[in-house]
């Protein structure tokens, strides 16, 4: 029996290598923290802006509230003209319908693309991948302009039909990978 030789990786622990790794770690962490702040700041701004009165907000959009107030929240919750519960119901209906459509159809498409061999399998898969490259928000305005021209009714299903083509490629890709 021939003895198998085990190859071991030799790590370079010289001072120069450690400095390079340290600098790379700092740079990567800087970009990650920057990205984190760009994601969290709008939420923080929305929260503290909601604690300002309208005139204070208009006078100083970015500043922290000097006298925080919950008046905006009490106004929305107590005013019957805002139809808060109807808005919540519409959002819930649209979300549930969109998620059901996306999960069912994306799962079926992902399963077919991964398990069944047919002539258009690869081109269809490439189209799904290309669909993931298109920013969702760049399609929202054209979809909101075109759908009414096609005669889609103004109901919850209309919003769900708009969200489906925007979310399906990514979900199909995930299902194919499973």
């Amino acid at each position: 029996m021939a003895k198998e030789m085990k190859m071991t990786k030799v790590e370079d622990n010289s001072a120069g290598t450690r400095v390079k790794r340290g600098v790379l770690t700092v740079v990567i962490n800087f970009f990650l923290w920057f990205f984190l702040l760009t994601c969290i700041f709008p939420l923080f701004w929305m929260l503290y802006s909601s604690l300002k009165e309208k005139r204070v907000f208009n006078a100083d959009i970015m500043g922290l509230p000097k006298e925080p107030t919950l008046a905006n929240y009490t106004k929305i919750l107590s005013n019957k003209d805002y139809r808060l519960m109807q808005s919540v119901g519409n959002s819930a209906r649209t979300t549930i319908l969109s998620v059901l459509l996306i999960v069912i159809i994306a799962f079926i498409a992902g399963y077919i693309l991964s398990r069944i061999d047919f002539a258009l399998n690869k081109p269809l898969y490439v189209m799904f991948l290309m669909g993931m490259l298109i920013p969702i928000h760049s399609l929202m305005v054209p979809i909101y302009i075109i759908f009414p021209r096609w005669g889609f009714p103004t109901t919850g299903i209309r919003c769900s039909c708009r969200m489906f083509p925007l979310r399906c490629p990514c979900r199909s890709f995930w299902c194919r990978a499973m």
Side-chain angles (χ1 to χ4, degrees), residues 17-173:
T17 304
R18 285 192 307 245
V19 169
K20 286 179 187 176
R21 275 194 226 138
V23 169
L24 183 63
T25 303
V26 168
V27 169
I28 289 173
N29 281 324
F30 172 77
F31 283 114
L32 290 176
W33 277 104
F34 178 75
F35 181 70
L36 174 76
L37 290 175
T38 60
C39 293
I40 290 178
F41 178 75
L43 297 174
F44 179 69
W45 177 80
M46 182 176 61
L47 177 68
Y48 78 73
S49 292
S50 70
L51 299 174
K52 295 180 184 179
E53 292 179 0
K54 188 174 184 177
R55 63 178 177 75
V56 176
F57 177 77
N58 289 336
D60 185 17
I61 292 177
M62 295 302 289
L64 290 171
K66 292 175 181 59
E67 297 175 15
T69 178
L70 296 175
N72 293 329
Y73 292 104
T74 56
K75 183 178 176 182
I76 286 179
L77 293 174
S78 64
N79 194 338
K80 300 291 182 204
D81 292 335
Y82 286 118
R83 293 184 238 161
L84 183 65
M85 292 315 292
Q86 180 182 358
S87 298
V88 169
N90 289 341
S91 296
R93 183 186 62 221
T94 301
T95 300
I96 290 169
L97 190 58
S98 297
V99 168
L100 284 174
L101 272 173
I102 290 166
V103 167
I104 291 170
I105 296 179
F107 182 77
I108 292 170
Y111 183 82
I112 289 172
L113 287 173
S114 67
R115 303 281 190 245
I116 299 172
D117 255 348
F118 57 96
L120 295 176
N121 191 335
K122 295 240 190 270
L124 194 58
Y125 181 63
V126 169
M127 283 177 30
F128 273 102
L129 289 176
M130 290 172 60
M132 288 172 43
L133 296 175
I134 299 170
I136 291 171
H137 300 91
S138 68
L139 296 176
M140 292 303 281
V141 171
I143 286 175
Y144 274 91
I145 292 172
I146 291 171
F147 272 37
R149 289 182 185 168
W150 289 349
F152 274 88
T154 55
T155 60
I157 197 164
R158 180 179 177 185
C159 264
S160 298
C161 290
R162 289 176 180 173
M163 294 309 292
F164 170 71
L166 302 176
R167 303 280 188 211
C168 196
C170 187
R171 301 325 177 259
S172 296
F173 176 73

